[in-house]
Amino acid sequence: MKQKSFYEQREISCIKRLNAIVDELPYFVRDFFIGVELRTSALTRLNYAYDLRVFFDFLAKKVFKKEILEIELKDLAKLESFDFEYFLSYLSHYTINDKEERCTETGKARKLSTLRAFYKYFFNRNALPANTPSKVSMPKIHEKEIIRLDSNDKVDEIGDMLYTVETGQGLTKKQLAFHNATKLRDAAIITLFLGTGIRISELVGLNTDDVDFNTNSFVVTRKGGNRAVLYFNDEVASALHDYLDARLKDEDKSEPALFLSLQNRRISTRTVQELVKKYAKIVSPLKKITPHKLRSTFGTNLYKQTGDIYVVADCLGHKDVNTTKKHYAAITDDIRKKAATALSIKNDKN
């Protein structure tokens, strides 16, 4: 029997969790998920389900005062804009399944987007009189500073991090006990993040046969399931070669994953997050460096070198270049300033 790929396994896992949540919600919610299935990924639908579970829990507790499964579609038709504004306010601090939670502006915006899509589905089928959530303004998102590793004339956090991975300098005795067994793998992972801007889910999903050293390229599965070819430089190639040469000595041929855990199984996203945190904490203790911040570091460096936002968007896999512009607007200002100071108005002939 052919072994399921990482993405097939993740899809199945998402669908199982999605079905379990939908079983806890009113009967008509399943109609929505069937309706959007062909144009959304299982992960997107799972996130919809998490958001709707919070919404119906809110309605049961604060609005209708009845059990979630007793809520009917006609009840949703009674809700007004204020009810959704009340919901957004409620999300600042709430309790669900005996756990206290809170949402940032970004989290609130995502949940409102989910409700707009949910209402739109039933409105288009004449099951609801209006898409009421669409009348509610989106929360204002405060732009966050881009956190990344710096590399300039004064500091070289990128070089320092790679040196720490190579030598283990600064690690605890407990961490050093495993360092010799993981340093080549960890160096390859961090170099791949910094050299290609790959997403953590894409990195974890890589198989050994996805990499082609003849062209210094590899194939990744992007968001939405699209496959794309990314290229890497000689530094990344060297780190990958060092890791694979050591791994091939006692490789488990049945495991196709490129990056393995100490148990010789596909490495998990949690393990990758923890290893990045471990080294980054030594190099830059005041910054909360995550795999996504290494991706930001790549995007920043690529933009500074090329000045081409479209190239950055393509390499990062952003479908909308405005997403890229939003994240790298501050760097655009730096480029403008440099351009302005470099420009000579008078042509000095003397």
Side-chain angles (χ1 to χ4, degrees):
M1 185 177 180
K2 185 180 178 181
Q3 186 179 18
K4 289 183 174 62
S5 71
F6 167 76
Y7 296 98
E8 289 172 328
Q9 292 173 346
R10 188 177 70 173
E11 186 91 353
I12 291 170
S13 175
C14 286
I15 291 172
K16 286 180 177 178
R17 282 183 285 167
L18 168 64
N19 287 331
I21 294 172
V22 171
D23 285 342
E24 301 172 4
L25 300 177
Y27 68 92
F28 54 85
V29 173
R30 188 171 295 278
D31 295 343
F32 165 71
F33 285 105
I34 293 172
V36 301
E37 182 173 347
L38 294 179
R39 61 177 186 274
T40 57
S41 68
L43 184 59
T44 295
R45 295 195 302 278
L46 179 59
N47 286 326
Y48 280 164
Y50 287 137
D51 293 341
L52 290 173
R53 180 170 60 179
V54 175
F55 177 64
F56 280 102
D57 185 70
F58 160 77
L59 293 180
K61 290 175 180 176
K62 302 294 184 180
V63 180
F64 298 126
K65 309 291 185 182
K66 58 184 177 183
E67 296 298 319
I68 289 177
L69 292 175
E70 295 175 353
I71 297 174
E72 299 182 45
L73 195 54
K74 64 182 181 181
D75 292 322
L76 299 190
K78 300 174 185 176
L79 298 178
E80 300 179 358
S81 298
F82 171 77
D83 295 301
F84 295 96
E85 292 168 349
Y86 179 21
F87 174 59
L88 294 178
S89 175
Y90 166 84
L91 291 173
S92 297
H93 185 265
Y94 64 98
T95 302
I96 187 168
N97 294 334
D98 297 323
K99 286 183 63 177
E100 291 191 1
E101 304 283 357
R102 62 179 299 274
C103 274
T104 61
E105 292 98 336
T106 303
K108 291 179 180 182
R110 193 191 82 173
K111 286 178 172 54
L112 183 55
S113 292
T114 295
L115 292 177
R116 287 179 174 182
F118 184 69
Y119 264 70
K120 180 180 179 181
Y121 173 81
F122 289 105
F123 173 66
N124 287 344
R125 284 154 183 77
N126 298 316
L128 284 175
N131 184 351
T132 312
S134 66
K135 300 176 182 179
V136 178
S137 299
M138 277 287 179
K140 182 178 180 180
I141 308 296
H142 294 88
E143 297 297 338
K144 294 181 179 179
E145 179 187 2
I146 299 177
I147 298 175
R148 56 186 178 265
L149 293 176
D150 290 319
S151 184
N152 51 48
D153 295 338
K154 297 180 180 179
V155 295
D156 183 14
E157 292 176 335
I158 294 175
D160 291 345
M161 187 167 184
L162 292 172
Y163 178 78
T164 300
V165 178
E166 179 185 349
T167 64
Q169 185 172 312
L171 296 178
T172 65
K173 288 184 178 180
K174 184 177 179 181
Q175 291 170 335
L176 283 170
F178 300 97
H179 185 246
N180 280 335
T182 64
K183 65 180 181 181
L184 292 178
R185 180 202 67 187
D186 296 353
I189 287 174
I190 290 173
T191 304
L192 194 61
F193 275 132
L194 292 169
T196 67
I198 192 172
R199 293 183 176 92
I200 187 171
S201 61
E202 296 165 351
L203 180 141
V204 168
L206 282 174
N207 290 334
T208 52
D209 58 7
D210 289 329
V211 183
D212 182 359
F213 286 107
N214 292 321
T215 57
N216 273 10
S217 65
F218 59 96
V219 180
V220 296
T221 301
R222 293 291 201 188
K223 283 184 176 180
N226 295 324
R227 302 277 280 174
V229 176
L230 298 182
Y231 296 90
F232 50 85
N233 61 21
D234 290 340
E235 289 176 276
V236 175
S238 177
L240 287 173
H241 269 304
D242 290 344
Y243 164 62
L244 287 172
D245 287 346
R247 179 188 143 170
L248 287 171
K249 294 177 182 177
D250 53 356
E251 181 182 5
D252 180 359
K253 299 293 183 182
S254 65
E255 179 51 73
L258 176 60
F259 294 112
L260 302 179
S261 67
L262 288 172
Q263 291 74 39
N264 285 325
R265 293 192 292 268
R266 185 182 298 275
I267 199 169
S268 67
T269 55
R270 179 66 179 271
T271 299
V272 175
Q273 289 167 343
E274 289 300 319
L275 74 86
V276 169
K277 178 181 177 182
K278 175 177 68 177
Y279 296 116
K281 193 174 181 180
I282 296 170
V283 173
S284 186
L286 297 182
K287 295 179 182 177
K288 188 178 180 181
I289 299 296
T290 64
H292 192 73
K293 299 301 184 290
L294 297 183
R295 178 171 157 84
S296 295
T297 301
F298 165 80
T300 299
N301 290 338
L302 183 62
Y303 191 27
K304 284 182 175 179
Q305 290 175 25
T306 66
D308 192 329
I309 199 69
Y310 293 95
V311 170
V312 178
D314 183 62
C315 290
L316 291 176
H318 289 164
K319 292 182 179 179
D320 185 353
V321 72
N322 288 318
T323 301
T324 319
K325 287 179 179 178
K326 179 177 69 175
H327 290 302
Y328 297 98
I331 307 169
T332 303
D333 289 340
D334 290 341
I335 292 174
R336 286 173 183 157
K337 289 176 183 176
K338 288 180 181 178
T341 55
L343 177 66
S344 176
I345 298 175
K346 286 198 273 183
N347 184 10
D348 191 355
K349 297 181 181 179
N350 297 326

